[in-house]
Amino acid sequence: MSDVIHPHWCQRATCPVGRTSGRYAIHRSRAVPGRPDPETGTAVSASLWMLDGEQANVLLEFEESNDDGTDLTAAQALELINTLTQLLAESGSVR
């Protein structure tokens, strides 16, 4: 087996890549939590994940949701950031 190269953001202490023979062992960053909404309590967290040797993806997880989150490619994540920034700027919610 070749040496595993972990991305700098990988949580190596819990990373299964190189320790398991599973095809779907993934590198995963720590989740970066957002602030909960004061009215609804809903919060979103984001983390990076990557199959060994592939491109990194973004996982968005909403605390109050029962689903597995939403996976985005890096390009999709950047497009989402740009789209949300534009929408909020147009609404006057962002200065």
Side-chain angles (χ1 to χ4, degrees):
M1 179 177 269
S2 64
D3 290 333
V4 173
I5 299 173
H6 295 273
H8 70 277
W9 44 261
C10 181
Q11 289 187 319
R12 293 181 189 171
T14 58
C15 182
V17 177
R19 284 192 251 168
T20 63
S21 60
R23 177 177 170 200
Y24 297 107
I26 63 169
H27 298 282
R28 179 110 186 245
S29 72
R30 72 175 182 85
V32 178
R35 283 181 271 194
D37 181 274
E39 294 178 22
T40 66
T42 301
V44 63
S45 65
S47 60
L48 297 173
W49 70 271
M50 179 178 94
L51 290 170
D52 198 34
E54 300 290 328
Q55 295 293 315
N57 292 288
V58 175
L59 177 64
L60 298 177
E61 296 176 287
F62 292 85
E63 278 187 17
E64 300 299 320
S65 178
N66 293 326
D67 67 12
D68 292 332
T70 300
D71 287 318
L72 301 171
T73 64
Q76 289 171 321
L78 288 172
E79 183 65 26
L80 178 60
I81 290 167
N82 292 333
T83 300
L84 292 173
T85 301
Q86 181 181 354
L87 284 172
L88 291 170
E90 289 172 6
S91 75
S93 298
V94 175
R95 298 175 209 273

